[in-house]
Amino acid sequence: MPKKPAPAAAPEPPPPQEDPGYTLIPGTDWEPPKMLIRPADQLPGLSEKELAEEVTRVWKADNPEAAHNLARFSNAERVFKYDPTVEQAVLHFAQEGPLVNASSDEAKEQLSREEAATKTAVDAEEGTTAADGGDEAAEDDARGLRNQFNFAERTCQTLNYPQRERGTMTEPPPSVEYAGAATQWDIFDAYMEDMDRKREAEKKASKKSAAKERDAAKKDDAGEPTGKSGSAQDLIEGAEMGHATQILERMVNQNTYDDITMDFKFWEDASDMYREGEGTLLPLWKFQTERTKRKHVTAVRWNPAFPDLFAVGYGSHHLFQQGGG
């Protein structure tokens, strides 16, 4: 059998042509040829539509290094608050100089002062000339005009010693790591030891009190004074009875004016929620006399012996309107 011919090989694709970086437009009879050079940063292979598309870029004068979460303390509200205003200006160089703008107010004021000084100097020279005479006056006038702006300054600079810093560091104190563990039986044993110590202390206290009672009984049998009086009169007029009486009196007064006391302690005013840091109280009582009208309270002093008693001083806070208190 005759052999079949081998299939023809597929043609290889042409190698990609290197982009020359420019576009050549042929010329005509009236115009010469043009060569459009493509920028170096332009992507190759862009269509006419993509090249004609406008890309908008917005330039902002914001400082990228400026902080955007500044918090400043507000003295009015007593809290730290975030400040939305951020300074975007960055100062790269600043130098103060002696030059001023000729059209500024400061330059005009400086010129007026110089003209006034010059006029004063000229008037003084004219007066000197009229007093001294012709030649000498003319020579002085010429000398004054010649040396009016001729001056010199002498300055010197002393030696500036360089700054030196000296520091020292102490050795850190030695540290020791300590660790321990407490189990249930350790805690139980510690409680038992504490209870035993308390029992021993109670036994010692009971023994001391029993010994004191025996000594007091012996003194009573011997007829010695024990320092205590068992009469009813001493019991009633004693300091302990006076203290107990004051407590009972306070309890009776508090029970009598219980509603006023409760209002003073627990009374709430609805307007207090609109007063920051302030509030109102319901007064328990008030007192006034005819002699204290139109007078200011200048002093209040509590009695150190009787806590429920205090004295009030009346007078005037006006410096030029003083009177009897």
Side-chain angles (χ1 to χ4, degrees):
M1 294 181 63
K3 295 183 179 180
K4 294 182 179 181
E12 295 182 358
Q17 296 181 0
E18 185 178 356
D19 188 7
Y22 61 89
T23 302
L24 183 61
I25 301 176
T28 61
D29 296 339
W30 301 98
E31 294 181 359
K34 295 181 181 180
M35 180 184 293
L36 302 180
I37 299 176
R38 185 181 299 110
D41 57 349
Q42 180 176 328
L43 295 177
L46 295 179
S47 62
E48 294 295 334
K49 182 179 180 181
E50 292 175 344
L51 291 175
E53 183 180 356
E54 294 183 0
V55 179
T56 304
R57 293 184 180 180
V58 180
W59 296 90
K60 296 183 179 180
D62 295 343
N63 183 11
E65 302 295 335
H68 61 277
N69 54 353
L70 291 179
R72 291 186 173 88
F73 185 75
S74 176
N75 293 320
E77 303 180 7
R78 299 290 182 178
V79 294
F80 282 93
K81 298 182 65 178
Y82 285 103
D83 191 358
T85 59
V86 180
E87 183 64 28
Q88 302 293 342
V90 178
L91 188 63
H92 296 282
F93 178 78
Q95 182 179 3
E96 295 183 359
L99 301 180
V100 295
N101 191 1
S103 60
S104 62
D105 297 337
E106 184 178 0
K108 294 178 180 178
E109 183 179 357
Q110 184 177 357
L111 291 176
S112 63
R113 288 199 302 267
E114 292 179 356
E115 291 177 358
T118 304
K119 184 177 181 181
T120 303
V122 171
D123 294 342
E125 291 295 336
E126 290 178 355
T128 305
T129 303
D132 294 344
D135 296 338
E136 295 180 358
E139 184 179 357
D140 293 339
D141 191 6
R143 185 185 299 110
L145 293 177
R146 184 173 59 254
N147 299 331
Q148 183 177 3
F149 299 101
N150 185 11
F151 62 93
E153 291 184 356
R154 292 184 180 181
T155 59
C156 63
Q157 184 175 358
T158 59
L159 177 62
N160 296 329
Y161 292 97
Q163 297 182 356
R164 296 181 177 88
E165 296 183 359
R166 179 179 298 176
T168 181
M169 180 181 295
T170 59
E171 296 181 358
S175 59
V176 179
E177 294 184 0
Y178 176 78
T183 58
Q184 294 183 356
W185 49 86
D186 293 336
I187 298 173
F188 178 78
D189 293 340
Y191 273 107
M192 295 302 296
E193 292 177 1
D194 185 61
M195 293 176 65
D196 294 339
R197 286 195 299 268
K198 289 182 179 179
R199 292 194 190 96
E200 292 294 333
E202 290 177 358
K203 288 181 181 180
K204 292 181 180 180
S206 61
K207 289 181 181 179
K208 290 182 180 180
S209 61
K212 289 182 180 180
E213 290 178 358
R214 287 196 299 269
D215 294 341
K218 290 179 180 179
K219 290 181 181 180
D220 291 340
D221 295 340
E224 297 180 2
T226 58
K228 294 183 180 180
S229 178
S231 62
Q233 187 68 19
D234 295 339
L235 181 63
I236 294 175
E237 296 180 356
E240 296 180 356
M241 179 59 71
H243 182 64
T245 306
Q246 291 180 358
I247 294 176
L248 292 175
E249 181 182 2
R250 184 64 175 267
M251 293 173 61
V252 170
N253 291 334
Q254 188 170 352
N255 292 334
T256 303
Y257 304 103
D258 181 71
D259 52 348
I260 299 178
T261 305
M262 291 297 106
D263 288 341
F264 176 80
K265 187 174 182 181
F266 301 105
W267 184 65
E268 295 183 358
D269 190 0
S271 61
D272 288 348
M273 63 185 300
Y274 302 102
R275 303 173 183 175
E276 183 177 356
E278 298 180 356
T280 56
L281 293 175
L282 189 66
L284 281 176
W285 38 261
K286 61 182 179 179
F287 63 93
Q288 60 182 1
T289 61
E290 293 294 331
R291 301 178 61 183
T292 60
K293 284 186 175 180
R294 298 182 180 179
K295 293 183 180 296
H296 301 155
V297 176
T298 57
V300 178
R301 185 66 179 269
W302 290 89
N303 194 324
F306 302 95
D308 294 337
L309 181 62
F310 64 94
V312 182
Y314 291 89
S316 177
H317 289 299
H318 296 287
L319 182 62
F320 302 102
Q321 296 181 4
Q322 298 293 328

